[in-house]
Amino acid sequence: MILTLIGFLSGIISGMGIGGGTILIPSLVIFYGIQQQEAQGVNLMVFLPVATVALITHYKKGNLDFSIAKLIILGGIVGAIIGSLIAVKIDPLKLRKYFGFFLLFVGFYELIKKKEKE
């Protein structure tokens, strides 16, 4: 039941384009005690079908700019290869901390960005 709830919340966040891994990865590590690399691997498996559904929905609404997406996809493929090679070699505890700092940075950035708009 908890895994289904985690998947549901992750799917909502993914559908918004934010990235379901921000919910999924910490939840798997905290509630199930699995290693960071394993949680990231599960996230990648979950990402494919969830992203496909979200992509179709956004496509139907006209929310895609293929000229921008092509360049980002190319960079993303190269980055994914390099990132996955690095991730499997890093100590799981350190990788967890790096991911946590990244999430804190993104959250802090969003708070500052929102205050500037107000």
Side-chain angles (χ1 to χ4, degrees), residues 12-35:
I12 289 173
I13 298 297
S14 291
M16 294 177 171
I18 297 170
T22 57
I23 298 290
L24 183 64
I25 293 170
S27 296
L28 290 174
V29 170
I30 293 167
F31 297 121
Y32 286 90
I34 66 175
Q35 295 293 330

Side-chain angles (χ1 to χ4, degrees), residues 90-104:
I90 294 176
D91 174 63
L93 184 58
K94 287 182 181 177
L95 186 58
R96 226 169 116 179
K97 288 179 183 179
Y98 298 151
F99 185 69
F101 284 125
F102 172 74
L103 291 178
L104 284 172

